Amino acid sequence: MVWLNTADQLYEKEDYHNALIYYQKVLNDTIALSQPVLPYEVQLTNRALSKKKKEMDSQLVTIEDYTNHQIAMCYKNTFDYKRAEEQFSKTYQTEGYPNDAYYYGNALKNNGKCEQAIEVFESFIRSSPESDSLVEVAKTQMRGCLFILNDSGAKTEAVVELADSTFNTGSTSFAVSYFNSEDKVMFTSARPGGVILDPEQQSEYLCDVYWAEKDNNTWKPAVNFGRPLNSAQHDAASSINNTNTIFYTRWSENRIHPKIYLARMMNGKFFEAYELDERVNVEGYSSQQPYISMDGKTLYFSSDRPGGEGGFDIWKIKLDEEGSFVGGPINLGPNVNSSANEVTPFFHEATSTLFFSSDGYNSIGGFDVFKSDCHPDTKIYSLPLNMGTPINSSFDDTYMIWDAKLESGFLSSDREICEFGHCYNIYEVRNSAIVISLDGYAYNMETDEILPNTNISIKDVTGEKANYQVSTDENGYYAIDINIGEMIFMKAQKENYFADAAVVNTESITQSTKLQQDFYLDPIPEDEIRLEGIEYDFDSDRLRPASKQILDTLYKLLELNDNLMVEMNSHTDYKGSDAYNLDLSKRRAQSCVNYLVQKGINKDRLKAIGYGEGSPTIWVDEQKNPILDAEGNKQVLTEKFIKTLSKSNQEKANQLNRRTAFKVVGEGFKVESE
């Protein structure tokens, strides 16, 4: 029982590798294991729903059953999925360990045996109480199996290749991040020649931070940052801001509660690193895998600190120019974080997209890479999307980073066969060409009929690319290809129609996508268009503020329809002399023209016409529909007709005649060159 007690104590300390040695000794005291401790990365947490079982009820299980269970748990916690599957296959039907069925199904899934895993998950779900929260996790894992088996969207055209020996030397390598340019990177590796302080330490099993630079498209040998950035502990997962401040993870050899450290660099030399305060590192919990935004103003990290959604969550905290905290940490919320574990954040600035890894959602196996778009205005994240194979595998896939154009990047994964069962390697990823197709139709706004031969002009808002035009075909259809990272202004125009416009933004698109943009064009009426609410001071041509707001709307219409020439028409009622009414209406129409010219409309496109009382409008109801006479004819609001109405209706009729309107009188306007 001495070996069993020793094993349990090591397990309690989360030293699973050494605990495994002693559990194996319990089963066979002739076993003498001499394997060194592999520096597997701490990135999982035991959720409340699956707390480690430390007590053994001798009435339920034997010492042999208990020891086999603990061995299986050690394999699970060191991510050795192959051996975990073998061991849980012995224990998952053992009385006293019902949750081993879930762990067995999870190991099968992580080893790519999805069909068998589904059977085990289904059995576990049927046999477990509905209140067991692990049942919900099993359902999520089963959805991941179905995703990879049935969903064609689970595959991408990306190419994933094992990186060369610059990156993959020693027992493990992971966590690439850009080091001030895309041709210079930092990464973590455990290899010979690392920083040690004790001669008995083996640097090939101790994580250090390295950097490497590309020269003529070839990566030069990696360089250890050395002391004091690297220590005799595990130093890993680094990220740098734009003032040479590096944030990285450090943990001791017993792998308990990794913390995030900060080190400042000057002229290529580091000052002594220090542990970040409780706003990031909470005592008794783990914080790890920092990522600094491109502008250096936001630190993203993963932590199982209180206040999250469960397991490890992605958090962020604001930084000032010196890399010091501004305010407290913010959880990215349930759109990103689940009750499982979310780790290794990377925020792609050009597309406002967060890439991270999770063992929840519809994970193919182990940790999968997901992405979530962040709305630039609301800062709300979209629901995570699995990146699919080959980026993801049935093993752990983490630390996804991309270059600015999403053409290439790096990934860390343990998908290669490994002597120790869980060995991270670094992979280079080449994305397939991102094709964004845009199509749509042009319609008559009033009738929904298609509009063939509609001209669509396309303008790059940034001004970096030349403008161009396309036309709809005989079916009113158009189709174009556009580029990632563009914002384009589109305007559809057709003779005898008002234009329609749209803005299409591809800055947040991270994969080949088909977009649709339809246009609805209003027919230009032959009659004038009344501008409701235009008011003037009494017996004056001066526009009131409310009138200017209405003319601002007309200004936007004329700015969009820059090919149109219009008359600004002003009308009065019959009260007053004809000459006076004509003069007043001309002055009022000219006031409208002057305002629009002041706003920027070319004066040659505008003509002011005052009709006085000479062009009365028609009698309409509250819904602006014509009120017809007994013979079905529209009734013109002449003085004679108005005087046949009741007193209240006479005032309404006069108000209808007191109006300002505009009328399109020409198309195809062009500014004459000087």
Side-chain angles (χ1 to χ4, degrees), residues 9-58:
Q9 291 172 10
L10 290 167
Y11 189 94
E12 182 69 36
K13 294 177 181 178
E14 299 181 16
D15 188 353
Y16 303 117
H17 213 104
N18 285 315
L20 177 62
I21 294 173
Y22 282 92
Y23 284 130
Q24 289 172 321
K25 286 178 179 290
V26 172
L27 295 183
N28 184 351
D29 61 12
T30 64
I31 294 176
L33 299 179
S34 59
Q35 290 181 342
V37 177
L38 189 72
Y40 63 85
E41 188 196 9
V42 177
Q43 62 183 18
L44 284 175
T45 184
N46 288 294
R47 308 165 206 156
L49 53 85
S50 57
K51 291 181 180 177
K52 297 182 290 293
K53 184 171 183 177
K54 297 296 187 297
E55 297 181 359
M56 178 184 65
D57 188 338
S58 60

Short mmCIF file of all heavy atoms in Angstrom, two decimals, residues 9-58:
data_model
loop_
_atom_site.label_atom_id
_atom_site.label_comp_id
_atom_site.label_asym_id
_atom_site.label_seq_id
_atom_site.Cartn_x
_atom_site.Cartn_y
_atom_site.Cartn_z
N GLN A 9 -0.87 10.42 -3.67
CA GLN A 9 -0.36 11.75 -3.32
C GLN A 9 0.13 12.50 -4.56
O GLN A 9 -0.13 13.70 -4.71
CB GLN A 9 0.78 11.61 -2.30
CG GLN A 9 0.31 11.14 -0.93
CD GLN A 9 1.47 10.82 0.00
OE1 GLN A 9 2.63 11.11 -0.31
NE2 GLN A 9 1.18 10.20 1.15
N LEU A 10 0.81 11.79 -5.44
CA LEU A 10 1.28 12.42 -6.68
C LEU A 10 0.09 12.81 -7.56
O LEU A 10 0.10 13.86 -8.20
CB LEU A 10 2.21 11.46 -7.43
CG LEU A 10 3.57 11.22 -6.77
CD1 LEU A 10 4.27 10.02 -7.42
CD2 LEU A 10 4.45 12.46 -6.89
N TYR A 11 -0.92 11.96 -7.60
CA TYR A 11 -2.12 12.26 -8.39
C TYR A 11 -2.81 13.51 -7.85
O TYR A 11 -3.27 14.36 -8.61
CB TYR A 11 -3.06 11.07 -8.37
CG TYR A 11 -4.22 11.18 -9.33
CD1 TYR A 11 -4.15 10.62 -10.61
CD2 TYR A 11 -5.40 11.84 -8.97
CE1 TYR A 11 -5.21 10.72 -11.50
CE2 TYR A 11 -6.46 11.96 -9.85
CZ TYR A 11 -6.36 11.39 -11.11
OH TYR A 11 -7.41 11.50 -11.99
N GLU A 12 -2.89 13.60 -6.53
CA GLU A 12 -3.50 14.75 -5.89
C GLU A 12 -2.78 16.04 -6.27
O GLU A 12 -3.40 17.09 -6.43
CB GLU A 12 -3.49 14.58 -4.37
CG GLU A 12 -4.16 15.70 -3.60
CD GLU A 12 -5.66 15.72 -3.79
OE1 GLU A 12 -6.27 14.63 -3.89
OE2 GLU A 12 -6.22 16.82 -3.87
N LYS A 13 -1.47 15.95 -6.47
CA LYS A 13 -0.67 17.11 -6.85
C LYS A 13 -0.69 17.35 -8.36
O LYS A 13 0.00 18.23 -8.86
CB LYS A 13 0.77 16.93 -6.38
CG LYS A 13 0.94 16.90 -4.87
CD LYS A 13 2.39 16.65 -4.49
CE LYS A 13 2.57 16.60 -2.98
NZ LYS A 13 3.98 16.31 -2.60
N GLU A 14 -1.45 16.53 -9.07
CA GLU A 14 -1.56 16.61 -10.53
C GLU A 14 -0.26 16.25 -11.24
O GLU A 14 -0.04 16.64 -12.40
CB GLU A 14 -2.06 17.99 -10.98
CG GLU A 14 -3.43 18.33 -10.42
CD GLU A 14 -3.94 19.69 -10.88
OE1 GLU A 14 -3.39 20.22 -11.85
OE2 GLU A 14 -4.87 20.20 -10.25
N ASP A 15 0.61 15.50 -10.56
CA ASP A 15 1.82 14.98 -11.17
C ASP A 15 1.48 13.60 -11.73
O ASP A 15 1.88 12.56 -11.21
CB ASP A 15 2.94 14.90 -10.14
CG ASP A 15 4.29 14.53 -10.76
OD1 ASP A 15 4.30 14.22 -11.98
OD2 ASP A 15 5.30 14.56 -10.05
N TYR A 16 0.73 13.61 -12.82
CA TYR A 16 0.14 12.37 -13.34
C TYR A 16 1.18 11.40 -13.89
O TYR A 16 1.01 10.18 -13.80
CB TYR A 16 -0.89 12.70 -14.42
CG TYR A 16 -1.97 13.63 -13.94
CD1 TYR A 16 -2.12 14.90 -14.52
CD2 TYR A 16 -2.83 13.27 -12.90
CE1 TYR A 16 -3.11 15.76 -14.08
CE2 TYR A 16 -3.82 14.13 -12.47
CZ TYR A 16 -3.95 15.38 -13.06
OH TYR A 16 -4.92 16.23 -12.61
N HIS A 17 2.24 11.91 -14.44
CA HIS A 17 3.23 11.02 -15.05
C HIS A 17 3.92 10.16 -13.99
O HIS A 17 4.07 8.95 -14.14
CB HIS A 17 4.25 11.84 -15.84
CG HIS A 17 4.76 11.13 -17.04
ND1 HIS A 17 4.36 11.45 -18.32
CD2 HIS A 17 5.62 10.09 -17.17
CE1 HIS A 17 4.96 10.65 -19.19
NE2 HIS A 17 5.73 9.83 -18.51
N ASN A 18 4.35 10.77 -12.90
CA ASN A 18 4.99 10.00 -11.83
C ASN A 18 3.97 9.17 -11.06
O ASN A 18 4.29 8.08 -10.59
CB ASN A 18 5.74 10.94 -10.89
CG ASN A 18 7.04 11.44 -11.51
OD1 ASN A 18 7.79 10.67 -12.10
ND2 ASN A 18 7.29 12.74 -11.41
N ALA A 19 2.74 9.68 -10.92
CA ALA A 19 1.68 8.88 -10.29
C ALA A 19 1.47 7.59 -11.08
O ALA A 19 1.29 6.51 -10.50
CB ALA A 19 0.39 9.67 -10.21
N LEU A 20 1.51 7.70 -12.42
CA LEU A 20 1.33 6.53 -13.28
C LEU A 20 2.37 5.46 -12.99
O LEU A 20 2.06 4.27 -12.93
CB LEU A 20 1.41 6.98 -14.74
CG LEU A 20 1.32 5.90 -15.81
CD1 LEU A 20 -0.02 5.18 -15.74
CD2 LEU A 20 1.52 6.51 -17.19
N ILE A 21 3.60 5.88 -12.78
CA ILE A 21 4.68 4.92 -12.50
C ILE A 21 4.35 4.10 -11.25
O ILE A 21 4.47 2.87 -11.22
CB ILE A 21 6.02 5.65 -12.33
CG1 ILE A 21 6.43 6.28 -13.68
CG2 ILE A 21 7.10 4.71 -11.81
CD1 ILE A 21 7.66 7.16 -13.58
N TYR A 22 3.88 4.78 -10.20
CA TYR A 22 3.62 4.07 -8.95
C TYR A 22 2.34 3.24 -9.01
O TYR A 22 2.26 2.17 -8.40
CB TYR A 22 3.58 5.08 -7.79
CG TYR A 22 4.97 5.49 -7.36
CD1 TYR A 22 5.57 6.62 -7.91
CD2 TYR A 22 5.68 4.73 -6.43
CE1 TYR A 22 6.85 7.00 -7.54
CE2 TYR A 22 6.97 5.10 -6.06
CZ TYR A 22 7.55 6.22 -6.62
OH TYR A 22 8.82 6.58 -6.26
N TYR A 23 1.32 3.71 -9.76
CA TYR A 23 0.14 2.86 -9.93
C TYR A 23 0.50 1.58 -10.66
O TYR A 23 0.00 0.49 -10.34
CB TYR A 23 -0.94 3.62 -10.71
CG TYR A 23 -1.69 4.66 -9.90
CD1 TYR A 23 -1.84 5.95 -10.36
CD2 TYR A 23 -2.26 4.33 -8.66
CE1 TYR A 23 -2.53 6.91 -9.63
CE2 TYR A 23 -2.95 5.29 -7.92
CZ TYR A 23 -3.08 6.57 -8.41
OH TYR A 23 -3.76 7.51 -7.68
N GLN A 24 1.39 1.68 -11.64
CA GLN A 24 1.81 0.48 -12.36
C GLN A 24 2.61 -0.46 -11.46
O GLN A 24 2.54 -1.68 -11.59
CB GLN A 24 2.62 0.87 -13.60
CG GLN A 24 1.74 1.50 -14.69
CD GLN A 24 2.53 2.06 -15.84
OE1 GLN A 24 3.60 2.64 -15.65
NE2 GLN A 24 2.00 1.90 -17.05
N LYS A 25 3.37 0.12 -10.55
CA LYS A 25 4.10 -0.71 -9.59
C LYS A 25 3.15 -1.47 -8.67
O LYS A 25 3.43 -2.59 -8.25
CB LYS A 25 5.04 0.17 -8.74
CG LYS A 25 6.28 0.67 -9.48
CD LYS A 25 7.10 1.57 -8.57
CE LYS A 25 8.36 2.06 -9.27
NZ LYS A 25 9.35 0.99 -9.47
N VAL A 26 1.99 -0.84 -8.36
CA VAL A 26 1.01 -1.53 -7.51
C VAL A 26 0.53 -2.81 -8.19
O VAL A 26 0.37 -3.85 -7.55
CB VAL A 26 -0.19 -0.59 -7.22
CG1 VAL A 26 -1.30 -1.35 -6.50
CG2 VAL A 26 0.26 0.60 -6.38
N LEU A 27 0.32 -2.74 -9.51
CA LEU A 27 -0.15 -3.91 -10.24
C LEU A 27 0.94 -4.94 -10.46
O LEU A 27 0.68 -6.13 -10.54
CB LEU A 27 -0.73 -3.47 -11.60
CG LEU A 27 -1.99 -2.61 -11.56
CD1 LEU A 27 -2.46 -2.32 -12.97
CD2 LEU A 27 -3.10 -3.29 -10.77
N ASN A 28 2.15 -4.50 -10.57
CA ASN A 28 3.26 -5.43 -10.83
C ASN A 28 4.52 -4.83 -10.25
O ASN A 28 5.13 -3.95 -10.83
CB ASN A 28 3.41 -5.63 -12.34
CG ASN A 28 4.47 -6.67 -12.67
OD1 ASN A 28 5.21 -7.12 -11.79
ND2 ASN A 28 4.55 -7.03 -13.93
N ASP A 29 4.92 -5.36 -9.12
CA ASP A 29 6.08 -4.76 -8.44
C ASP A 29 7.39 -5.07 -9.15
O ASP A 29 8.45 -4.66 -8.69
CB ASP A 29 6.14 -5.18 -6.97
CG ASP A 29 6.27 -6.70 -6.81
OD1 ASP A 29 6.54 -7.39 -7.80
OD2 ASP A 29 6.09 -7.18 -5.67
N THR A 30 7.32 -5.82 -10.26
CA THR A 30 8.55 -6.05 -11.02
C THR A 30 8.75 -4.98 -12.09
O THR A 30 9.78 -4.94 -12.75
CB THR A 30 8.50 -7.42 -11.71
OG1 THR A 30 7.44 -7.42 -12.67
CG2 THR A 30 8.27 -8.53 -10.70
N ILE A 31 7.71 -4.12 -12.25
CA ILE A 31 7.82 -3.06 -13.25
C ILE A 31 8.76 -1.97 -12.73
O ILE A 31 8.64 -1.51 -11.62
CB ILE A 31 6.45 -2.45 -13.55
CG1 ILE A 31 5.55 -3.49 -14.21
CG2 ILE A 31 6.57 -1.22 -14.45
CD1 ILE A 31 4.15 -3.01 -14.47
N ALA A 32 9.70 -1.59 -13.55
CA ALA A 32 10.60 -0.49 -13.18
C ALA A 32 10.65 0.46 -14.37
O ALA A 32 11.37 0.20 -15.34
CB ALA A 32 11.98 -1.01 -12.83
N LEU A 33 9.87 1.51 -14.29
CA LEU A 33 9.80 2.44 -15.41
C LEU A 33 10.83 3.56 -15.23
O LEU A 33 10.96 4.13 -14.15
CB LEU A 33 8.40 3.05 -15.50
CG LEU A 33 7.27 2.04 -15.73
CD1 LEU A 33 5.94 2.76 -15.76
CD2 LEU A 33 7.49 1.28 -17.02
N SER A 34 11.56 3.85 -16.26
CA SER A 34 12.60 4.88 -16.19
C SER A 34 12.37 6.00 -17.19
O SER A 34 13.27 6.76 -17.49
CB SER A 34 13.97 4.25 -16.45
OG SER A 34 13.99 3.63 -17.74
N GLN A 35 11.15 6.08 -17.72
CA GLN A 35 10.87 7.15 -18.68
C GLN A 35 10.97 8.52 -18.00
O GLN A 35 10.48 8.70 -16.90
CB GLN A 35 9.47 7.00 -19.27
CG GLN A 35 9.31 5.80 -20.20
CD GLN A 35 7.90 5.74 -20.75
OE1 GLN A 35 7.00 6.35 -20.20
NE2 GLN A 35 7.73 4.99 -21.82
N PRO A 36 11.62 9.49 -18.65
CA PRO A 36 11.66 10.84 -18.09
C PRO A 36 10.29 11.49 -18.17
O PRO A 36 9.43 11.06 -18.93
CB PRO A 36 12.67 11.57 -18.99
CG PRO A 36 12.60 10.82 -20.29
CD PRO A 36 12.34 9.38 -19.92
N VAL A 37 10.11 12.53 -17.39
CA VAL A 37 8.84 13.23 -17.38
C VAL A 37 8.75 14.11 -18.62
O VAL A 37 9.58 14.98 -18.84
CB VAL A 37 8.70 14.10 -16.11
CG1 VAL A 37 7.41 14.89 -16.15
CG2 VAL A 37 8.76 13.22 -14.88
N LEU A 38 7.75 13.87 -19.46
CA LEU A 38 7.55 14.65 -20.67
C LEU A 38 6.90 15.99 -20.32
O LEU A 38 5.98 16.03 -19.51
CB LEU A 38 6.65 13.88 -21.64
CG LEU A 38 6.53 14.47 -23.04
CD1 LEU A 38 7.82 14.28 -23.81
CD2 LEU A 38 5.39 13.80 -23.80
N PRO A 39 7.34 17.08 -20.93
CA PRO A 39 6.78 18.40 -20.57
C PRO A 39 5.47 18.68 -21.27
O PRO A 39 5.34 19.63 -22.02
CB PRO A 39 7.87 19.36 -21.05
CG PRO A 39 8.47 18.67 -22.22
CD PRO A 39 8.46 17.21 -21.87
N TYR A 40 4.48 17.82 -21.04
CA TYR A 40 3.18 18.07 -21.68
C TYR A 40 2.61 19.36 -21.14
O TYR A 40 2.82 19.73 -20.01
CB TYR A 40 2.21 16.90 -21.46
CG TYR A 40 1.85 16.64 -20.01
CD1 TYR A 40 0.82 17.35 -19.41
CD2 TYR A 40 2.51 15.68 -19.26
CE1 TYR A 40 0.47 17.11 -18.10
CE2 TYR A 40 2.17 15.44 -17.95
CZ TYR A 40 1.16 16.14 -17.37
OH TYR A 40 0.82 15.92 -16.07
N GLU A 41 1.91 20.07 -22.01
CA GLU A 41 1.44 21.40 -21.65
C GLU A 41 0.18 21.33 -20.81
O GLU A 41 -0.75 20.61 -21.12
CB GLU A 41 1.15 22.22 -22.92
CG GLU A 41 0.84 23.66 -22.61
CD GLU A 41 0.20 24.33 -23.80
OE1 GLU A 41 -0.14 23.64 -24.77
OE2 GLU A 41 0.02 25.55 -23.73
N VAL A 42 0.15 22.09 -19.74
CA VAL A 42 -1.05 22.17 -18.91
C VAL A 42 -2.06 23.05 -19.63
O VAL A 42 -1.82 24.22 -19.87
CB VAL A 42 -0.73 22.78 -17.54
CG1 VAL A 42 -1.99 22.92 -16.72
CG2 VAL A 42 0.27 21.90 -16.81
N GLN A 43 -3.21 22.52 -20.01
CA GLN A 43 -4.22 23.34 -20.66
C GLN A 43 -5.62 22.85 -20.37
O GLN A 43 -6.59 23.37 -20.87
CB GLN A 43 -3.99 23.39 -22.17
CG GLN A 43 -4.09 22.05 -22.85
CD GLN A 43 -3.78 22.17 -24.33
OE1 GLN A 43 -3.18 23.12 -24.77
NE2 GLN A 43 -4.19 21.19 -25.10
N LEU A 44 -5.76 21.81 -19.57
CA LEU A 44 -7.08 21.31 -19.22
C LEU A 44 -7.35 21.58 -17.76
O LEU A 44 -6.44 21.69 -16.95
CB LEU A 44 -7.18 19.80 -19.46
CG LEU A 44 -7.34 19.34 -20.91
CD1 LEU A 44 -7.30 17.84 -20.97
CD2 LEU A 44 -8.65 19.84 -21.48
N THR A 45 -8.61 21.63 -17.44
CA THR A 45 -9.00 21.73 -16.05
C THR A 45 -10.01 20.63 -15.76
O THR A 45 -10.75 20.21 -16.64
CB THR A 45 -9.64 23.09 -15.72
OG1 THR A 45 -9.93 23.15 -14.33
CG2 THR A 45 -10.91 23.33 -16.48
N ASN A 46 -10.02 20.13 -14.56
CA ASN A 46 -11.06 19.18 -14.18
C ASN A 46 -12.30 19.96 -13.79
O ASN A 46 -12.29 20.72 -12.83
CB ASN A 46 -10.58 18.33 -13.00
CG ASN A 46 -9.52 17.34 -13.43
OD1 ASN A 46 -9.80 16.45 -14.21
ND2 ASN A 46 -8.30 17.53 -12.94
N ARG A 47 -13.35 19.81 -14.56
CA ARG A 47 -14.57 20.56 -14.29
C ARG A 47 -15.25 20.04 -13.03
O ARG A 47 -15.02 18.93 -12.58
CB ARG A 47 -15.53 20.43 -15.48
CG ARG A 47 -14.87 20.77 -16.80
CD ARG A 47 -15.72 20.29 -17.95
NE ARG A 47 -14.83 20.06 -19.10
CZ ARG A 47 -15.10 19.25 -20.08
NH1 ARG A 47 -16.22 18.58 -20.10
NH2 ARG A 47 -14.26 19.09 -21.07
N ALA A 48 -16.12 20.85 -12.52
CA ALA A 48 -16.85 20.45 -11.31
C ALA A 48 -17.63 19.17 -11.54
O ALA A 48 -17.85 18.39 -10.63
CB ALA A 48 -17.78 21.57 -10.88
N LEU A 49 -18.00 18.92 -12.78
CA LEU A 49 -18.81 17.75 -13.07
C LEU A 49 -17.99 16.48 -13.13
O LEU A 49 -18.52 15.41 -13.26
CB LEU A 49 -19.55 17.94 -14.40
CG LEU A 49 -18.71 18.32 -15.64
CD1 LEU A 49 -18.13 17.11 -16.30
CD2 LEU A 49 -19.57 19.10 -16.62
N SER A 50 -16.66 16.61 -13.09
CA SER A 50 -15.84 15.40 -13.18
C SER A 50 -14.65 15.47 -12.23
O SER A 50 -13.51 15.31 -12.61
CB SER A 50 -15.34 15.22 -14.62
OG SER A 50 -14.63 16.37 -15.03
N LYS A 51 -14.91 15.77 -10.98
CA LYS A 51 -13.86 15.89 -9.99
C LYS A 51 -13.12 14.56 -9.81
O LYS A 51 -13.68 13.49 -9.93
CB LYS A 51 -14.44 16.33 -8.65
CG LYS A 51 -14.96 17.77 -8.66
CD LYS A 51 -15.50 18.15 -7.30
CE LYS A 51 -16.01 19.59 -7.31
NZ LYS A 51 -16.61 19.97 -6.03
N LYS A 52 -11.82 14.68 -9.52
CA LYS A 52 -11.01 13.48 -9.35
C LYS A 52 -11.49 12.69 -8.14
O LYS A 52 -11.75 13.25 -7.08
CB LYS A 52 -9.54 13.86 -9.17
CG LYS A 52 -8.96 14.57 -10.38
CD LYS A 52 -7.51 14.88 -10.20
CE LYS A 52 -7.30 15.97 -9.18
NZ LYS A 52 -7.81 17.25 -9.61
N LYS A 53 -11.58 11.38 -8.29
CA LYS A 53 -12.04 10.54 -7.19
C LYS A 53 -10.83 10.03 -6.44
O LYS A 53 -9.98 9.35 -7.00
CB LYS A 53 -12.86 9.38 -7.73
CG LYS A 53 -13.46 8.51 -6.63
CD LYS A 53 -14.44 7.51 -7.21
CE LYS A 53 -15.08 6.70 -6.09
NZ LYS A 53 -16.07 5.77 -6.63
N LYS A 54 -10.71 10.40 -5.20
CA LYS A 54 -9.53 10.03 -4.42
C LYS A 54 -9.82 8.94 -3.40
O LYS A 54 -8.93 8.33 -2.86
CB LYS A 54 -8.98 11.26 -3.69
CG LYS A 54 -8.50 12.33 -4.65
CD LYS A 54 -7.33 11.83 -5.46
CE LYS A 54 -6.72 12.93 -6.30
NZ LYS A 54 -7.60 13.46 -7.29
N GLU A 55 -11.10 8.71 -3.07
CA GLU A 55 -11.44 7.73 -2.06
C GLU A 55 -11.93 6.45 -2.70
O GLU A 55 -12.61 6.47 -3.71
CB GLU A 55 -12.52 8.30 -1.12
CG GLU A 55 -12.04 9.52 -0.34
CD GLU A 55 -13.10 10.03 0.59
OE1 GLU A 55 -14.20 9.45 0.62
OE2 GLU A 55 -12.84 11.02 1.30
N MET A 56 -11.54 5.34 -2.10
CA MET A 56 -11.93 4.05 -2.65
C MET A 56 -12.81 3.33 -1.65
O MET A 56 -12.46 3.19 -0.48
CB MET A 56 -10.66 3.22 -2.94
CG MET A 56 -10.95 1.83 -3.46
SD MET A 56 -9.44 0.89 -3.66
CE MET A 56 -8.89 0.76 -1.96
N ASP A 57 -13.99 2.91 -2.09
CA ASP A 57 -14.91 2.14 -1.25
C ASP A 57 -14.63 0.66 -1.51
O ASP A 57 -14.94 0.12 -2.56
CB ASP A 57 -16.35 2.49 -1.61
CG ASP A 57 -17.33 1.86 -0.63
OD1 ASP A 57 -16.97 0.87 0.01
OD2 ASP A 57 -18.46 2.38 -0.54
N SER A 58 -14.03 0.00 -0.53
CA SER A 58 -13.61 -1.39 -0.73
C SER A 58 -14.79 -2.33 -0.92
O SER A 58 -14.63 -3.44 -1.40
CB SER A 58 -12.77 -1.86 0.47
OG SER A 58 -13.53 -1.77 1.67
#
